[in-house]
Amino acid sequence: MNIASNRRSFLAGLGALTISVALPGQKARAASFGVEKRPPLDPKNLSSYITINADGSVHAYWGKMDMGQGTDLGVAQMVAEELDLPVDRVQVLQGDSGTSVNQGGASGSTGIQNGGVTLASAAAEARYQLIELASRQLNVPAADLTVTNGVVHAKADPARKASYADLIGGRFFDTQLEWNGQMGNGLFVKGKGQRKAVSEYKVIGTSPARRDSPMKILGTVDYVTDIKVPGMVHARVIRPPVAGAVPTAVDEASVKGIPGVQIVREKGFLAVVAPREYDAVKAMKALKVTWSDSKPNFPGDKGVYDHIRKAPVLAKGAAKDEGDVEATFASAARVIEATYEWPFQSHASMGPACAVVQITPEGATLWTGSQKPHFAGDGVADILGLPKDKVRAIWAPGPGSYGRNDAGDAAAEAAVIAKMIGKPVRVIGTRADGTAWDPKGPASVHTVRAALDKDGKVLAQHFHSKGFSRLDVSSNESAIHDTLVGQQMDVPLKPTHIFATPEESYRFTAKRKSWETVPPLLERASPLRGAHLRDPLGPQIHFASECFIDETALATNQDPVDFRLQYLRDPRDQAVVKAAAEKAGWRKRTSARKQVNGDIASGQGIAYAQRNGTRVAVVAEVEVNMKTGKVWGRRFVVAHDSGLIINPKQLIATVEGNVVQGLSRALWEEVKFDANNVTSVDWETYPILDITEAPESIECVLIDMPNVAPTGAGEASMRPLAAAVGNAIYDATGVRLRQAPFTPDRVRAGMA
């Protein structure tokens, strides 16, 4: 190990190394944080992941970010564990391309299972190097040394010791790691240091207090909307009244009386900027624009499912067959079939996205609420014609994301405008921009068939999805063709045509899973662009899959839990189903029980799913008002197996968040649109679950698998939730709802 430092550089860098603020401040004070004095970022160098400060505390540089679950605390625990430190001695610096290598941002519940594991591996190497250094300094063989709270000492004589601060504090590791050559989610490094055995864990498995909660409760967090840069102007983007329309004439005189207003126009892209934000708002409203004639492009939300059924197939996935599916169906004594429908859904973040871009002679800086700041920075570099390493992307908390929302569009728009006018630019939209124009979770239709023998045994199943691609625009925001501004400026399109099939372990004699995608409703600059929304495609696919499992169980006179246990092949899957049913007090049935008390019908439903190795089963207990049709998800029991548990309280909070958001999507969320445009623009036209509709209780059964690597929890418990609610509604009313969301109107129509 080489330690690159001298006293002068150490003292000069001390301030940058010991600052513990991980969030950017109101005046963009984070722009210089911890960058200048560190060695250049290199995925093969240990200092890119771990540094020891002058006081012996640790900075861990995480190329991801936390979206509200406290995942950064879990990462701090993993690093603290490997370094034998209390967790409060580890600070995780996140989501900043100037301080961390690209680990993919928040993506696919990989914060712990990929990002945390990589930093833990780096921390294990740091501990190894520190022990080697202490061995030379203390003249004690490394095998005879141990670490207690950041102090290396002889096992036989604890008085012979050296702290991390004594050994390297304020200087940098120059250790080279083995790197797998991948950037993003797949990045992994390792060195000579071996990670601890599970039996040695002291920090992992505990639940220290969240660090971000006090700041959020007290309102002391600086959000991306708080960023201010000297000379910054405010921009508002003008959206067309009819999707697909482009400006053909702009009346500059219509905003002439507003101080400092500039009009920015490039092909189909149109925006106004002003030194004062309210002047930009006034200019956005006052600007007179003549738009091209864009013919009605959409079938409307009521016609979207027929459109999907009739639309030509754009791409299809190779059928995943087990056994001879065609022959098994042909010889069946009985075939049952059902079709399920899922709408477009919006991210509907708490507010519209915001971004700031500042261009300097040295490069550029982006401040963004995107969950993938490194990739967003790459996209800005592409727009500005700069090398990627000349654009620093700094994440700041935004109004929410959980997938590819409008944050990527705001970053690209700020870059385009800044390049055109030569000033720092802050872009923010309206709530209508965020709700109507964000990329959407795609609408889809799912058809499921089962072949039965004369005794009711399931011989075969065929699950088929047809819908809009989940990647009409990419989720990583690194290319201009995946943004509204790029598409408005006529850049060549590069959509990915892809869907998915259920993740489960049901075993039948024969089985097929298949999918097809259809062309987008509007090829370019559409408010209905398909993209990632939390657990991409998971809720809609498993809504169909798990509701049909219930339908099949009841059609064959079997209890839904018993049916699942009979056909599930994976013991971990069986375990979560058993655990959820036992905790919930499952009441066996072979038909809808229809328990009614006055106007209220009560029901219980179960659903299960896998997600990238995580197993979840959910039991929902609902109450249905038979007069109004309104559904209340009263109680939820979630059995959750995501391998090794890092922080139990953090995991429970993550599951609770999934249940609430999943319930909102199951009961209310549906993008409405007419022939011309999206009409869901606010909380009235795109309602979400409100606090009066929150569950009475959410109970978690955490199944810890200490010898199984953690597999992520950010999305898995949302996956089976809609199906559990749908199955519970059927148990309560005898009405099978095959179209989501389960709004009062649909429930009443079903009962009628």
Side-chain angles (χ1 to χ4, degrees):
M1 178 181 67
N2 298 314
I3 302 172
S5 181
N6 56 48
R7 183 173 178 79
R8 181 182 298 275
S9 65
F10 162 61
L11 292 173
L14 184 60
L17 285 168
T18 56
I19 293 173
S20 61
V21 177
L23 299 177
Q26 207 172 31
K27 293 184 179 179
R29 59 179 175 269
S32 61
F33 174 77
V35 177
E36 294 81 3
K37 305 303 177 184
R38 287 177 68 209
L41 287 174
D42 178 354
K44 299 186 294 297
N45 195 292
L46 181 56
S47 67
S48 294
Y49 307 95
I50 303 291
T51 61
I52 309 295
N53 300 321
D55 63 357
S57 64
V58 170
H59 277 164
Y61 300 94
W62 190 41
K64 289 183 173 289
M65 47 71 71
D66 174 58
M67 295 166 60
Q69 285 82 29
T71 311
D72 55 321
L73 175 58
V75 173
Q77 289 180 250
M78 297 172 81
V79 170
E81 187 70 76
E82 299 303 333
L83 283 166
D84 285 300
L85 282 170
V87 70
D88 62 6
R89 300 285 285 164
V90 176
Q91 180 72 36
V92 175
L93 285 82
Q94 56 183 315
D96 184 338
S97 68
T99 64
S100 59
V101 296
N102 185 353
Q103 291 182 266
S107 173
S109 302
T110 57
I112 293 293
Q113 65 178 308
N114 288 46
V117 167
T118 296
L119 259 66
S121 181
E125 177 62 15
R127 183 181 187 276
Y128 173 87
Q129 295 293 345
L130 289 161
I131 289 176
E132 288 292 311
L133 189 59
S135 174
R136 294 193 290 273
Q137 182 169 315
L138 301 174
N139 197 26
V140 176
D144 295 333
L145 294 173
T146 190
V147 182
T148 303
N149 290 338
V151 177
V152 185
H153 58 85
K155 296 176 182 176
D157 182 7
R160 299 185 68 181
K161 62 184 179 180
S163 70
Y164 287 172
D166 297 332
L167 294 168
I168 195 177
R171 294 167 290 164
F172 301 103
F173 295 104
D174 192 25
T175 304
Q176 296 301 297
L177 303 169
E178 293 181 42
W179 171 44
N180 64 355
Q182 297 184 41
M183 298 298 284
N185 287 331
L187 184 148
F188 184 72
V189 295
K190 65 178 181 178
K192 297 177 183 177
Q194 298 298 309
R195 291 195 60 189
K196 287 183 180 180
V198 173
S199 60
E200 301 177 83
Y201 286 169
K202 298 175 182 177
V203 181
I204 289 175
T206 65
S207 296
R210 288 273 296 266
R211 299 169 177 183
D212 57 339
S213 297
M215 293 184 291
K216 291 176 178 177
I217 292 169
L218 296 173
T220 58
V221 173
D222 290 324
Y223 290 89
V224 66
T225 49
D226 298 317
I227 300 298
K228 294 179 175 64
V229 176
M232 181 179 77
V233 296
H234 299 270
R236 288 293 189 277
V237 178
I238 313 296
R239 307 294 180 192
V242 177
V246 297
T248 58
V250 177
D251 181 5
E252 297 186 15
S254 61
V255 294
K256 196 172 183 179
I258 302 175
V261 168
Q262 291 178 263
I263 298 170
V264 178
R265 183 179 173 189
E266 178 65 26
K267 295 184 178 178
F269 176 67
L270 179 64
V272 292
V273 299
R276 295 176 64 244
E277 184 172 10
Y278 186 54
D279 287 335
V281 173
K282 289 193 294 185
M284 175 186 69
K285 295 178 178 179
L287 187 66
K288 294 181 179 178
V289 183
T290 303
W291 297 93
S292 66
D293 182 21
S294 182
K295 301 297 182 186
N297 298 295
F298 304 141
D301 53 86
K302 292 181 175 59
V304 69
Y305 302 116
D306 283 342
H307 173 88
I308 291 172
R309 289 182 178 90
K310 297 172 184 176
V313 174
L314 191 61
K316 61 173 62 180
K320 302 173 183 178
D321 280 11
E322 299 175 16
D324 192 334
V325 177
E326 300 297 339
T328 307
F329 269 97
S331 63
R334 180 185 174 196
V335 173
I336 60 175
E337 180 176 320
T339 299
Y340 306 84
E341 299 166 339
W342 191 271
F344 284 105
Q345 291 185 324
S346 169
H347 292 82
S349 300
M350 287 189 292
C354 177
V356 176
V357 169
Q358 180 183 37
I359 304 172
T360 67
E362 293 77 31
T365 303
L366 161 70
W367 288 267
T368 177
S370 165
Q371 67 182 53
K372 297 188 177 179
H374 288 75
F375 286 121
D378 290 348
V380 168
D382 186 38
I383 290 167
L384 300 180
L386 292 173
K388 292 179 181 179
D389 62 358
K390 294 298 182 183
V391 175
R392 183 178 181 190
I394 302 172
W395 171 78
S401 49
Y402 295 124
R404 168 63 164 90
N405 71 345
D406 50 333
D409 293 317
E413 288 160 355
V416 166
I417 298 169
K419 181 179 182 181
M420 292 177 70
I421 69 173
K423 296 177 183 178
V425 172
R426 176 180 181 266
V427 164
I428 189 170
T430 64
R431 185 173 300 286
D433 289 328
T435 306
W437 286 91
D438 70 323
K440 304 294 190 292
S444 52
V445 175
H446 311 270
T447 302
V448 200
R449 302 164 60 227
L452 312 177
D453 69 10
K454 60 182 178 59
D455 298 318
K457 179 182 178 181
V458 180
L459 301 176
Q461 187 192 78
H462 179 195
F463 184 97
H464 181 71
S465 295
K466 188 178 183 184
F468 299 100
S469 173
R470 68 180 174 92
L471 280 178
D472 191 38
V473 293
S474 174
S475 63
N476 75 15
E477 305 174 1
S478 63
I480 191 170
H481 57 254
D482 290 317
T483 66
L484 273 174
V485 62
Q487 295 190 6
Q488 289 168 325
M489 289 166 33
D490 295 336
V491 299
L493 301 176
K494 296 180 182 179
T496 300
H497 307 297
I498 190 169
F499 212 80
T501 57
E503 289 185 57
E504 35 78 356
S505 70
Y506 294 113
R507 180 181 315 196
F508 308 114
T509 304
K511 189 175 178 181
R512 174 177 292 166
K513 300 177 183 179
S514 58
W515 59 260
E516 297 172 329
T517 60
V518 303
L521 293 174
L522 179 64
E523 185 179 50
R524 183 178 290 275
S526 173
L528 293 170
R529 297 165 291 158
H532 282 178
L533 177 59
R534 193 177 192 179
D535 187 22
L537 301 182
Q540 51 265 63
I541 286 174
H542 290 85
F543 162 55
S545 175
E546 284 295 295
C547 282
F548 189 75
I549 287 293
D550 253 49
E551 293 202 51
T552 309
L554 299 178
T556 57
N557 202 37
Q558 296 184 70
D559 173 73
V561 169
D562 290 344
F563 183 89
R564 285 173 171 82
L565 294 176
Q566 176 185 349
Y567 289 101
L568 285 172
R569 74 182 80 177
D570 190 309
R572 289 174 66 188
D573 296 348
Q574 294 173 343
V576 292
V577 170
K578 289 178 182 177
E582 181 179 346
K583 177 70 174 178
W586 179 260
R587 294 175 288 280
K588 292 191 176 186
R589 81 295 304 263
T590 55
S591 62
R593 292 175 303 138
K594 302 181 186 177
Q595 294 186 318
V596 180
N597 182 6
D599 293 332
I600 303 300
S602 301
Q604 189 183 56
I606 190 168
Y608 125 92
Q610 297 180 2
R611 191 186 194 282
N612 292 349
T614 295
R615 278 83 168 167
V616 178
V618 176
V619 173
E621 294 183 4
V622 306
E623 293 184 359
V624 182
N625 188 306
M626 302 292 279
K627 284 188 174 180
T628 67
K630 190 170 183 179
V631 177
W632 178 35
R634 186 181 68 82
R635 180 192 182 206
F636 291 87
V637 175
V638 182
H640 198 282
D641 171 4
S642 52
L644 171 70
I645 296 174
I646 306 298
N647 182 315
K649 286 186 179 178
Q650 180 177 297
L651 176 55
I652 289 171
T654 299
V655 170
E656 290 172 343
N658 267 306
V659 168
V660 171
Q661 189 178 7
L663 184 59
S664 180
R665 293 175 69 179
L667 296 183
W668 290 112
E669 297 189 36
E670 179 177 16
V671 173
K672 300 289 188 177
F673 56 99
D674 58 21
N676 294 321
N677 221 329
V678 169
T679 57
S680 292
V681 296
D682 52 29
W683 301 131
E684 293 296 321
T685 51
Y686 190 83
I688 64 172
L689 197 78
D690 70 39
I691 197 166
T692 67
E693 302 164 318
E696 183 177 84
S697 68
I698 302 172
E699 302 161 41
C700 297
V701 182
L702 303 184
I703 301 175
D704 193 13
M705 304 287 284
N707 295 310
V708 176
T711 49
E715 296 162 288
S717 46
M718 178 176 289
R719 177 162 285 196
L721 195 121
V725 172
N727 291 335
I729 292 171
Y730 178 80
D731 184 47
T733 65
V735 174
R736 178 63 67 181
L737 298 178
R738 299 191 181 99
Q739 183 181 344
F742 315 132
T743 61
D745 287 346
R746 287 203 177 102
V747 174
R748 286 198 308 270
M751 290 190 295

